[in-house]
Amino acid sequence: MGMMLTIHPEKCTGCRNCELACALEHEGNFRVKASRIHVYAWEREAFSVPMMCQQCKDAACSTVCMPKALTRDTATGLVDYDAAKCIGCKMCVQACQFGNIAWDAMSGTVLKCDTCDGDPACARICPTGALEWADEGLAVQPRKKSFATKLKNAFAEAQS
Amino acid sequence: MNGWMGKILRVDLGSGKISTERLDPQLARDYLGARGLGTKIMWDEVDPNVDPLSPANKLIFAPGPFSGTFAPSSGRYDVVTKGPLTGTIAASNSGGSFGAELKFAGWDVVILEGKAAKPSYLWICDDAVELRDASHLWGKDVPTTTEMLYGETSEDAKVACIGPAGEKLVLFASVMNEMQRAAGRTGVGAVMGSKNLKAIAVRGTQGVDVADKDAFVAACGEASRKIKEHPVGGTGLRLYGTDVLVNILNSVGGLPTNNFQTGHFPTADKVGGESLAAKQLQRPRGCFACIISCGRGTKVTNPKYKGEGEGPEYETAWGFGPDCGIDDLDAVTKANYWCNELGLDTISMGGTVACAVEMFSKGIITLKDTEGLDLSPGNAEAMVEAVRLTGVGEGFGKKLALGSWRLASIYGHPELSMTAKKQEMPAYEPRAVQGIGLNYATNNRGGCHVRGYTISPEVLGVPVKFDKDATEGKPELVALFQNLTAAIDSSGACLFTTFGIGADDYAAMLSALTGVAYSGDDFIKCGERVWNLERLWNNRAGFTAADDALPPRMTEEPMPTGPSKGSVSRVKEMMPKYYAVRGWDDAGRPTEEKLAELELA
Amino acid sequence: MKVRYFALLRDATGKREEVWTRPAPDVRTLMHDLVARYDEPFAKWVMVGDALAPFVAVLLDGKDVRDRGGLDCSLDGVAEVDIFPPLAGG
């Protein structure tokens, strides 16, 4: 089975350790604008959501990529980026509906999550488990079960 | 440079001149950053006798070398200036993301001088820095100001701003960043308001460089492991927040109640961390690079006190709760939200209301003086309204805005102001805990707990247990905590990392990051240097040994009730030993030898 | 004699406080009895073998046993025992 980087926004504290780990892993320093993961914060409500490439099966980015710098590997389930082939047209940035790919002027490449060779630095550093590197078949089981529990409790209440 | 960015931004708000200076590596080495570096710049450039709210005062924003890296829970910054509440040097520390963003924009220090002709804000976008008109923001609360600035600068920008309180020069006005984090104490927000500076918005695209990447990753990993495994920092703070302290302080009789009239409040549990978690907590929050997550995302649904945001912290819950004789958590949290939205220090606000409540209960002030505000002990609604009025500058709020010392003096009773050097003492009773009282009395910014947090050994038993009622060993303990904390404050690290790591750990991370070799002793020495520099500043500003004191109630009136009944603070007994331990003369002045040792001569 | 629980220990015991009627001459006896009553996770928070777990505060009418003899402290005449797991704050 494949693995996926699962987001649990209810556990996110907004600490951005993921951005730091990603930047150091890929850039060698703490340039968080080059992070492939970005945390959005709603400060009034004290809520945050991390976002990164979702490695789409029918990836819009790879569809529009003329030089085939972005291609999907069916074995790994990842959309791979080959900077050598990239012509910097930024059509992928235009195409991605999630905004999960970005152009980095400093390096002259696009930034997208590559799951760090099967050991994502962001999931490793996340202090609360808001980012989880999980078996894609099981990734949402806890969430599904949590809602199932609410249903179970509702029935128990109705019966008593 | 590694760790540091190597640049200082200087802005003359009057002329609009903006200049870049090089950060002297020797200064960075000796003072680290944040509190230390800001204080050194104040020492070099500002007359300690300056009027804090005049254009001659300077306002400094400075992150530390750790800020912007993944040194665990180490993304903080300081606002450094002469504090209008106390007249001392003031360095107020805050979390959030603002400090890290200053580093990403390429800056170690931002120095603001003079006064803008009209309300302005500073927009820092890497090297492109502009002063912009803020007339449309003036008068707006902190969340609204922040959102408007995201709209007109960048959604990625980080904003530090004042609310109406800072604009109206409330003497304990705060600077807020990311809406919910505060550089709270000593009135740094009023200095910002006096300069007609509404906000600083910053966005950076640069990176913080690391001298030895492998060593830094290893040192940070080790530090993170220690913090997470420590029973205290690892889980407790995330589950209950700092407010978990209410019950243990109450149990030992050290929870200041009704303006420090006693140290035990029977219904304290109703405003403690357990109640907060059960009733209002939505989720924990963490500042930049934080692994502890002590922040409280909360919500109050009670229509009377409806609101949402972050907090309350322990000091806040105490200040609006037991210190005012109140046990209504919804009201306490609402007061906390007002402080965040209007830009007020919760500790000084709580302490000032508590003082007013005591004066009201004794008939020293009446409904006529309070313009109809019924400040009877336990009146939660009136407490919340008092906070709001202070923040917006209306009614009795205008007098509360002076802080408890000036307020009580107006009515002829300064002894009812529970302050040291005119700053309100936080949530630990000096009669019940001897060491914290010594810290309050000797602290360079007056009544302050964080900078010498001996509650940790004296009450919590971390790292080891000291008897809270003993005076033996306390001068040494207080001085050590004060030195170590000053170093931590100057590095960008959060004080809660001390629940887990020590000087050697900070030194290891700092050395690997900056490429400058620090030992644990070197690190502490940086802190001792900063402490002594602050002391020199204060001495020049006219502070003497006489100011190293607590209110007479603490030293002369035995605690009337609770588990610490009968105790007084023996701070006067401990003072000579404290001066000796510090290497100061009998008048509390650093000796030539001490200054030479710290390279301050 | 009343025994009161705080923070994580409230979840571990399901209680804020209780009146303890079982004879307990000293703190050691009481702690062992409580561990036997509540088992895990209560046990791991408060005791490590025959010793108090690190940073645990046991107060006898507000006095911390760590300052006056630890587990050997007598419970004779004590009205309230407050037990805290490791805590932090600021």
Side-chain angles (χ1 to χ4, degrees), chain B residues 348-473:
Chain B
S348 287
M349 182 78 259
T352 301
V353 174
C355 178
V357 168
E358 182 174 359
M359 290 200 292
F360 191 89
S361 72
K362 294 185 161 146
I364 297 167
I365 58 176
T366 62
L367 280 171
K368 185 161 170 287
D369 298 302
T370 67
E371 299 182 39
L373 199 60
D374 175 15
L375 288 175
S376 301
N379 186 343
E381 263 181 78
M383 177 277 290
V384 174
E385 181 61 2
V387 173
R388 191 192 68 81
L389 288 170
T390 306
V392 299
E394 288 170 12
F396 189 57
K398 287 187 276 203
K399 292 230 175 63
L400 293 168
L402 300 169
S404 68
W405 194 89
R406 291 167 180 85
L407 173 73
S409 299
I410 289 170
Y411 295 102
H413 287 276
E415 77 284 359
L416 296 183
S417 161
M418 294 297 116
T419 50
K421 300 187 179 75
K422 301 195 185 78
Q423 173 156 274
E424 286 66 21
M425 298 186 292
Y428 313 90
E429 242 278 7
R431 292 174 291 187
V433 188
Q434 294 299 325
I436 204 69
L438 180 60
N439 176 45
Y440 287 167
T442 59
N443 210 294
N444 290 321
R445 63 174 184 176
C448 161
H449 62 304
V450 274
R451 289 173 164 202
Y453 196 66
T454 57
I455 294 298
S456 199
E458 293 186 278
V459 176
L460 306 178
V462 180
V464 291
K465 184 72 174 66
F466 274 67
D467 185 342
K468 69 180 183 62
D469 299 311
T471 52
E472 179 76 27

Side-chain angles (χ1 to χ4, degrees), chain B residues 230-232 239-240 244-245 247-248 251 269 274 315 428 449 453 459-461 463 465 467 496 563, chain C residues 4 6-8 10-11 16 45 55 57 59 61-64 66-67 82 84 86-90:
Chain B
H230 198 281
V232 150
L239 292 174
Y240 298 105
V244 76
L245 291 178
N247 282 317
I248 194 169
S251 287
D269 186 37
E274 296 95 337
E315 317 294 325
Y428 313 90
H449 62 304
Y453 196 66
V459 176
L460 306 178
K465 184 72 174 66
D467 185 342
F496 289 165
Chain C
R4 305 196 304 174
F6 298 91
L8 287 165
R10 289 184 177 178
D11 297 305
R16 279 181 197 216
W45 284 115
F55 315 124
L59 310 180
D61 294 324
K63 308 289 182 203
D64 197 312
R66 293 174 290 185
D67 298 320
D82 290 347
F84 295 86
L87 293 182

Side-chain angles (χ1 to χ4, degrees), chain A residues 9-17 19-21 24-25 28-33 38 40-48 106 124-128, chain B residues 68-70 97 101 104 143-144 147 150 156 158 178-180 203-205 207-210 216-217 238 283-290 293 308-309:
Chain A
E10 72 282 3
K11 293 184 186 171
C12 182
T13 66
C15 73
R16 302 172 62 194
N17 265 303
E19 295 184 18
L20 288 162
L24 191 70
E25 180 77 18
N29 72 351
F30 293 108
R31 185 166 70 95
V32 299
K33 286 296 181 295
H38 193 117
Y40 290 93
W42 284 263
E43 283 140 6
R44 280 189 195 261
E45 302 98 312
F47 198 90
S48 295
M106 200 176 284
R124 246 187 295 134
I125 203 175
C126 178
T128 59
Chain B
T69 74
F70 64 25
S97 280
E101 200 69 25
F104 300 141
T144 307
E147 281 168 349
Y150 290 155
D156 271 357
K158 300 300 163 205
E178 286 66 82
M179 291 190 200
Q180 312 286 357
R203 179 180 186 266
T205 64
V208 179
D209 291 327
V210 183
F216 188 62
V217 169
R238 182 176 312 138
R283 66 197 66 80
R285 301 295 290 162
C287 296
F288 193 85
C290 185
S293 325
E308 67 181 339

Side-chain angles (χ1 to χ4, degrees), chain B residues 310-361:
Chain B
E310 289 191 36
E313 301 300 330
Y314 169 57
E315 317 294 325
T316 309
W318 157 79
F320 298 128
D323 201 31
C324 291
I326 287 165
D327 62 13
D328 181 338
L329 183 60
D330 288 343
V332 162
T333 302
K334 183 61 177 174
N336 162 80
Y337 292 152
W338 277 129
C339 288
N340 287 348
E341 290 165 24
L342 302 173
L344 292 159
D345 173 31
T346 60
I347 302 176
S348 287
M349 182 78 259
T352 301
V353 174
C355 178
V357 168
E358 182 174 359
M359 290 200 292
F360 191 89
S361 72

Side-chain angles (χ1 to χ4, degrees), chain C residues 14-48:
Chain C
K15 302 188 170 102
R16 279 181 197 216
E17 62 181 52
E18 61 184 316
V19 175
W20 193 257
T21 50
R22 220 181 129 86
D26 56 29
V27 176
R28 179 174 278 105
T29 310
L30 175 66
M31 296 310 289
H32 280 301
D33 282 352
L34 290 173
V35 161
R37 162 78 66 91
Y38 294 111
D39 202 12
E40 297 297 348
F42 176 83
K44 76 160 191 254
W45 284 115
V46 304
M47 292 290 276
V48 176

Side-chain angles (χ1 to χ4, degrees), chain B residues 496-521:
Chain B
F496 289 165
T497 52
T498 55
F499 296 113
I501 60 177
D504 290 341
D505 299 289
Y506 297 108
M509 289 189 286
L510 197 56
S511 304
L513 173 65
T514 62
V516 175
Y518 289 91
S519 66
D521 285 341

Side-chain angles (χ1 to χ4, degrees), chain B residues 534-552:
Chain B
E534 291 173 340
R535 183 76 180 183
L536 287 177
W537 165 282
N538 286 346
N539 288 346
R540 277 221 190 138
F543 287 88
T544 67
D547 298 298
D548 292 336
L550 296 181

